[in-house]
Structure formats: structure tokens, C-alpha cells
Amino acid sequence: MKFAVALLSFVFANNLLAQSKPSADLIITKAKIWTVNKSRPTAEAVAVLGDRIVAVGSVADVEALRGPSTKIIDAEGKLLLPGFNDAHVHFVTSGTRLDQIQLGDATSVEEFTRRIAERAKMTPKGEWIEGGDWDETKWTPANLPTKDVIDPVTPNTPVFLEHHDGHMALANSVALRLAGVTAQTPDPPGGTIVRDAQGNPTGALKDAARNIVLKVIPLPSHDQRLQAMRRALERAAELGVTSVQDMNDENSDSFADIRGYGELLQSGELSARVYVAPAISDWERQEKVGIRHAFGSSYLRIGATKGFADGSLGSSTAYFFDPYTDDPNNSGLLGEQMHPLSQMRDWMLQADAAGLQVCTHAIGDRAISTVLDLYTDVVEAHRGMERRFRIEHAQHMAARDFARFAQLSVIASVQPYQAIDDGRWSEARIGHDRASRTYAFRTFLNHGVHLAFGTDWPYAPFDPVLTIYAAVTRATLDGKNPNGWFPEQKLTVAEAVEAYTIGSAYAEFQEKDKGSITPGKLADMVLLSDDIFTMDPVKIRDVRVLKTIVGGRLVWDVDRKKHYSTAN
């Protein structure tokens, strides 16, 4: 009798438990899922409860979690990946650029001038013309523009146009006058005022010299900043980017950005997750309130710092051991923050001691080597800490430094699209030998270095599909390297996807929370139009994003061509 009562109680309790078991809020079924989870790399269906993944498996496995209110997405056999995580982006700057003048595809100086003239006619008196992303390598001849080509069409309008690499700009005479730049103005540390044969400024300003004019350009209002964020968030959703790591521009106000992100988070408009890295010179503002790396919520976190060691290859300011092949008197520039070097060392030591993550822009081989030296000093001073140093870009490596990257556990935060862009002209600037260690993704992996993929938007396209295409094909944009520029550095599609998901998550201390389609992780996913694993790699660039899901919520649906906030 006692056994019968006990058995009845057990059955009743289990029935009650089964009835109270919550059903999934969302099920994506009949998908071809690449999970980026090595213990279960593929699956057919995934279930979401709240903002987390609760099951990954076969259609039958996941169907058991369907309830009367479960939303179902039939993927119709399409490829489902973890959401893309852009490890290096200038998010607010990029959102602003969407409404500014676009010059990146101007194929001649005449077209460059014509577009500026048209913009000047539409620009209210007293406002600046900004934006640009111009690229003189697309012109014949490939000469740097001067103020003389824009002064006639902008006699009363100040103009400041960024080079496509973000390390050089062109200012017209009105802008130079407002900033007080004359023939007598000295080059600042870490910058160059380009001059003509008579010593007069041509209007081209490299690296720290840009700051002279930037200081007189009015800062965006808070409302303008929020609008830029909304524009950038919409673009992110459309492209399947569910997380961004917002790297400080030398003249941006990251703390004003954080305030704006906070407002959008509160209103439910923050449809991508954001990790903000303010300037390393401002490390103390985070340390004072006890912020450490990856501090905050799943949607908005801080705790990183960003420094600059040099300029860029496109502006001939990347810092090398040897001179530029096409400019024997120039080896590049150490960045403004590296003067004196002891200043940067102190900032790194103090930020590291405070538990903040240190990320440093370094492009030339000597700049990268110098940063590794500084990181070595920090490790020796503060042993036993998990810090995840990063070098942003890490483009042109000295052969000996691949091993040092691995020994110091430095993350290579790289942007593959720039390889197929720079590959059009890099060898003419630095020679074949140095170019062979440029964007050396395979060599990094062979040394056990963590790769994190990003774009550097707005200085390269934000589209992750183009980034994967670039890493897999290394086919330069001029069509001259269809089999790959230094093809030994190509990655497989799986390696590229991993670097763009779990690799980028690792770079922000979030690999346990996102970066793979795994039970318990945040439900950030992207559904693609085609299977990038089985198609001809050349066709990857044409793949589209069908749906973007952040925290279990649909934020982009190509059928409706609509961006949704997470509040929906």
C-alpha cells in the first residue's frame, strides 16, 4: 500500500512538473546551423527562452519545447550562424558619416571636386562640410589632393574631409584660416602638415596634424549623437552585426557616447550589444568609480582603453623599422600619445593595475614591436593577471614578433577587408618582403594567436560578408590577384566565422556568454541567404542577411525590410 501511494505521488509530481515546464518563446527550425561550438558543430533547430538559448539539436529534439505561444521561424534550410561581433568599429562616427558627403567611390579628382561643389550649394552658411573617405589611389595620377582643387567651389564654407584610412584629412583655406594654420605652424608631435615647395600648407594633414583643425569644428549635439547611433544600429541589424566594440577615435568623446548608449538601452532602442573603449589617456575616469574590464550589462559594457602607437600605411605614417620603398626619407610616425614613450608606458601600467583592458592601435612593424615591448613591461610589473592585451590592426609584422604575440597572449584584432584594398598598392610602398607579413592571418593562427575580426567602419565597409570573403579569397579589389594576394595567408570559411564570432567575443571577455549557438548563451543569431561553407568562395560577397536576432528578438527581417528595436 505504501509503495502504491509513493508511486502515485511520484507520477503526480512529474505530471505537474511537466505541465508547469515553460515552453520556448522562439524556435528556429529546419535550419542548417553552424554553431561554432566544437562539441556540437551542426544542428537543425534552436529554441530560445527569454534572451537565452535553451536547446540546440534536431527538429524533433527542439519541437518538444513548442508551446501555444511559441513563435516559429521556418529557416527553410538556410544557414544560421551566431550573430557577427565587430571587434573594431567607430560606431558613432560611422552613423554620422551616413549623412555626410561620400567620396570613397570618386574615381577622379574632377569627380571629387564636383561632388564637393554640389554639397556646398546645399550647406547652410556657417556649417562645415565633413565626411569624405576619399582614396587618391583610385585616381590617375594617384596624387594627394590639395586645397586648390576645392577652394574655388567652397569660398565661404569650411571643409574637412577624411581620407579613407582615417589618418589624413584635407582642409580647405577657410578651415585652415579658422584653425590658424599657416606656413609658420610647426608640425605637432606625431603629425605632419603637408607643404608645397614654398613651405605653405597644401591642406593635407596627417595624423596629429588633423587635430589642429578638428579642435575648431563644433561638436555634435546630444540629439545629433543619438541620431547617429540610431542610424548605425539600423545598419548593424541589416548586416547581421549583433555586437560591436566601439573603439575611441582620437578626437571622439567616448563618455558622451556611453551616455547616449545608456539612453537608447533604457528606451529599448539599443538593438546591438556595445563594448566601449575610451581613450587610454582617460583611464582614470573609469578607475575612479571602480570599473574593470567588461563591466556592465549584456547590452552595454565598458572597462577597456584605446591607445594609438602610429598612423596608417595609406597616409605613409605607419611606423616601420626601414624606410618606405617609395619614400626613402620616411619611416612613418610614432603617434602623438607615444611622445614621450614613458607617458604611454605609465598609462598602460596604471590602466592595467586598475583592471582595465588595454587595446592599442599599431600598424607598422616598428610600432607593433614597440607596443609588444611596452606590454612586456606591464606583464613584468603585474604578474598573475588575466588581461587580454589587444593590438588593433596588427597589419605589418616583423618576423620575430609572431612568437611574441603568442607568448604575451596578445589578441590580434584585425580587419581582413583592408587586405584586399591595400593589396592593390602596398608592395609599391613597402616592398614584397614586408608585404608578405601583411595581414598575416594564417601565420597568426599557426603561432596560436587569438584572432578577432572587425571592419574599422567607417574606414572600410561594415558588411561581415565582405570581411569573410576577403579573409577566404584575399582577392584584391583591382582584380589582379584572383587566386589571392599572398594566398598562403588565406583562412577557411570556418576559421573566418570563428574569428568573427567566438574570437571577437573572447576579445571582450564574453566567450562564455556569446559567440556560439550553445544552450545558456545569449540568443544572438543571423540567418543568411546562402551557405557560405559550400558555395564558390568568390560568390560569398553576394550573400545577404535574411534575419537578425538579438536576445531572442527579431531586429531585422529582409522580407519586411524593417529594423526593429528590442522593445518590440
Side-chain angles (χ1 to χ4, degrees), residues 356-492:
L356 299 170
Q357 186 180 22
V358 177
C359 317
T360 310
H361 164 118
I363 287 180
D365 55 17
R366 192 170 183 182
I368 294 168
S369 194
T370 302
V371 172
L372 292 174
D373 290 343
L374 293 172
Y375 284 175
T376 299
D377 292 345
V378 174
V379 170
E380 290 178 352
H382 306 144
R383 294 191 177 276
M385 295 174 60
E386 184 185 18
R387 48 177 56 86
R388 300 192 190 181
F389 282 139
R390 296 169 50 149
I391 289 184
E392 308 301 317
H393 311 303
Q395 285 179 11
H396 310 286
M397 293 287 294
R400 70 184 180 94
D401 282 334
F402 290 104
R404 290 216 292 161
F405 246 89
Q407 289 162 5
L408 292 166
S409 299
V410 178
I411 296 160
S413 173
V414 296
Q415 299 79 41
Y417 185 88
Q418 292 177 346
I420 64 172
D421 193 355
D422 292 4
R424 295 176 294 126
W425 45 264
S426 291
E427 289 186 67
R429 192 156 294 182
I430 60 173
H432 182 82
D433 179 61
R434 279 185 288 186
S436 70
R437 296 185 298 278
T438 290
Y439 301 101
F441 311 137
R442 172 63 56 201
T443 307
F444 274 128
L445 286 184
N446 289 346
H447 280 82
V449 173
H450 283 280
L451 285 184
F453 273 6
T455 59
D456 202 19
W457 189 45
Y459 309 118
F462 193 32
D463 189 347
V465 165
L466 292 179
T467 296
I468 292 171
Y469 163 80
V472 171
T473 68
R474 292 182 71 97
T476 52
L477 299 179
D478 57 9
K480 293 181 179 179
N481 296 275
N483 296 318
W485 182 57
F486 296 99
E488 65 274 14
Q489 296 294 344
K490 290 181 185 178
L491 298 185
T492 66

Side-chain angles (χ1 to χ4, degrees), residues 479-556:
K480 293 181 179 179
N481 296 275
N483 296 318
W485 182 57
F486 296 99
E488 65 274 14
Q489 296 294 344
K490 290 181 185 178
L491 298 185
T492 66
V493 173
E495 289 167 335
V497 169
E498 184 173 338
Y500 225 141
T501 54
I502 199 76
S504 293
Y506 179 85
E508 57 165 338
F509 294 89
Q510 294 298 293
E511 75 278 7
K512 294 180 180 177
D513 237 14
K514 58 186 177 182
S516 67
I517 299 176
T518 304
K521 287 193 174 184
L522 292 164
D524 300 349
M525 294 169 282
V526 57
L527 189 69
L528 299 182
S529 62
D530 299 275
D531 184 355
I532 59 176
F533 292 94
T534 60
M535 68 192 309
D536 181 345
V538 172
K539 296 180 180 179
I540 289 175
R541 60 189 171 189
D542 299 321
V543 171
R544 297 174 303 138
V545 170
L546 301 180
K547 298 182 191 298
T548 304
I549 296 160
V550 178
R553 293 179 180 269
L554 191 69
V555 299
W556 170 256

Side-chain angles (χ1 to χ4, degrees), residues 230-251:
R230 292 185 180 107
R231 294 277 277 130
L233 287 165
E234 183 175 356
R235 183 62 61 88
E238 182 180 352
L239 295 173
V241 179
T242 58
S243 291
V244 295
Q245 298 172 40
D246 193 357
M247 293 287 141
N248 171 259
D249 282 316
E250 287 178 283
N251 292 280

Side-chain angles (χ1 to χ4, degrees), residues 198-395:
Q198 290 71 45
N200 296 309
T202 68
L205 305 165
K206 296 187 177 184
D207 281 289
R210 297 161 52 253
N211 300 342
I212 304 172
V213 176
L214 283 167
K215 287 176 181 176
V216 301
I217 299 176
L219 293 173
S221 68
H222 185 62
D223 286 344
Q224 288 172 327
R225 193 180 301 272
L226 291 177
Q227 175 60 16
M229 290 176 174
R230 292 185 180 107
R231 294 277 277 130
L233 287 165
E234 183 175 356
R235 183 62 61 88
E238 182 180 352
L239 295 173
V241 179
T242 58
S243 291
V244 295
Q245 298 172 40
D246 193 357
M247 293 287 141
N248 171 259
D249 282 316
E250 287 178 283
N251 292 280
S252 63
D253 185 346
S254 292
F255 293 96
D257 292 344
I258 292 166
R259 176 190 169 195
Y261 288 132
E263 288 187 24
L264 296 183
L265 174 59
Q266 188 171 22
S267 65
E269 296 177 80
L270 196 61
S271 55
R273 306 183 192 280
V274 185
Y275 185 36
V276 186
I280 193 168
S281 56
D282 282 336
W283 68 271
E284 199 170 3
R285 293 179 68 178
Q286 298 190 73
E287 185 269 344
K288 277 184 177 179
V289 291
I291 290 168
R292 302 176 71 83
H293 63 249
F295 174 88
S297 74
S298 64
Y299 268 99
L300 177 58
R301 289 174 299 100
I302 53 179
T305 64
K306 165 79 180 303
F308 287 85
D310 67 342
S312 72
L313 188 69
S315 297
S316 297
T317 53
Y319 190 49
F320 285 95
F321 286 109
D322 297 318
Y324 284 81
T325 304
D326 63 347
D327 187 1
N329 296 316
N330 176 31
S331 297
L333 294 171
L334 266 181
E336 184 178 16
Q337 294 178 337
M338 304 285 275
H339 295 275
L341 197 60
S342 59
Q343 172 182 260
M344 180 61 84
R345 180 182 289 107
D346 287 344
W347 284 341
M348 288 183 177
L349 284 166
Q350 291 162 337
D352 185 73
L356 299 170
Q357 186 180 22
V358 177
C359 317
T360 310
H361 164 118
I363 287 180
D365 55 17
R366 192 170 183 182
I368 294 168
S369 194
T370 302
V371 172
L372 292 174
D373 290 343
L374 293 172
Y375 284 175
T376 299
D377 292 345
V378 174
V379 170
E380 290 178 352
H382 306 144
R383 294 191 177 276
M385 295 174 60
E386 184 185 18
R387 48 177 56 86
R388 300 192 190 181
F389 282 139
R390 296 169 50 149
I391 289 184
E392 308 301 317
H393 311 303
Q395 285 179 11

